[in-house]
Amino acid sequence: MAEEGNTQTVEEPLDLVRLSLDERIYVKLRGDREIRGILHAYDGHLNMVLGEVEETITIVDIIEDNSEEIIRTVKRNFEMLFVRGDGVILVSPPSKS
């Protein structure tokens, strides 16, 4: 159990997410999607509410004639976004300089 008053302690996986509240985080999602945004809220299922979000979608097109792959990315921006936890693969807290 974390000591009272020490809010910087990481003892459980969700503590790392808790310490990232109101910080910019990186989230990797299923379907070759990545988002970066400010974490406003989350729950135990990793449902999250993010603000100032940039979503990057990686699309791989395969040309059937010669099996060539064309990789392209699509970027979208959202003021606020709800992310359902079952699509989350990875959550990375902000880097500390």
Side-chain angles (χ1 to χ4, degrees):
M1 200 74 155
E3 294 178 21
E4 271 188 52
N6 187 357
T7 60
Q8 298 299 312
T9 302
V10 176
E11 293 186 2
E12 298 179 9
L14 286 179
D15 290 345
L16 192 60
V17 178
R18 176 182 48 83
L19 293 174
S20 299
L21 277 170
D22 297 320
E23 299 283 344
R24 183 163 288 281
I25 63 169
Y26 166 81
V27 182
K28 183 165 180 59
L29 301 167
R30 293 181 187 189
D32 294 322
R33 293 174 183 262
E34 301 173 351
I35 55 176
R36 288 176 173 79
I38 298 173
L39 179 64
H40 291 294
Y42 72 97
D43 66 12
H45 300 285
L46 277 183
N47 295 320
M48 294 181 267
V49 176
L50 298 165
E52 299 177 24
V53 180
E54 179 184 69
E55 176 186 37
T56 304
I57 306 167
T58 303
I59 301 167
V60 179
D61 294 323
I62 299 175
I63 300 173
E64 292 181 21
D65 296 344
N66 58 5
S67 299
E68 182 181 342
E69 291 184 354
I70 298 174
I71 299 172
R72 57 190 175 102
T73 58
V74 176
K75 293 190 184 235
R76 301 189 305 176
N77 293 302
F78 302 94
E79 186 176 321
M80 192 71 66
L81 187 68
F82 173 84
V83 178
R84 187 171 168 182
D86 68 348
V88 174
I89 296 172
L90 175 140
V91 177
S92 177
S95 59
K96 303 289 183 193
S97 304

